[in-house]
Amino acid sequence: MTLNKIVSVYSVVLGLSGCATFKSLDAEAPLFERIFIYSGTRLDWAALKNDEITIRKFHTDPPDCPAVDLPFSLALDSLFLPLAISAEIFH
């Protein structure tokens, strides 16, 4: 597989998944109610478990395919972890 095909497949999969990390950080919720640390991963996990109470805490809908989005959200949440920790401490 060429690099071009890998990038194309990655873009399609990520686009179809809905990216829970960005959805959860862009939610219409007051700053003090937002969940920052591993928010996308936690939203995907709650969607996989059909945990409506936890999903409501994020003030957004989970992606259509949380199982597909979970590894991407985990990677992105890990990348954003230093920023998420400082946001949790100083908000």
Side-chain angles (χ1 to χ4, degrees):
M1 220 176 193
T2 66
L3 182 61
N4 193 15
K5 287 182 182 179
I6 292 172
V7 170
S8 298
V9 169
Y10 177 78
S11 299
V12 168
V13 169
L14 191 59
L16 291 175
S17 64
C19 197
T21 299
F22 289 127
K23 286 178 115 178
S24 62
L25 293 176
D26 194 36
E28 294 293 326
L31 192 58
F32 64 89
E33 288 183 9
R34 289 190 187 178
I35 300 170
F36 291 104
I37 297 177
Y38 283 96
S39 60
T41 304
R42 292 163 67 180
L43 179 59
D44 283 334
W45 190 255
L48 287 172
K49 291 175 48 181
N50 292 324
D51 185 359
E52 292 296 324
I53 294 169
T54 304
I55 291 172
R56 274 187 259 139
K57 290 180 184 179
F58 288 96
H59 301 281
T60 189
D61 295 327
D64 295 331
C65 301
V68 173
D69 185 58
L70 186 62
F72 297 109
S73 290
L74 180 63
L76 199 57
D77 284 334
S78 296
L79 184 69
F80 288 157
L81 185 60
L83 297 171
I85 289 173
S86 70
E88 279 289 336
I89 291 172
F90 296 113
H91 79 278

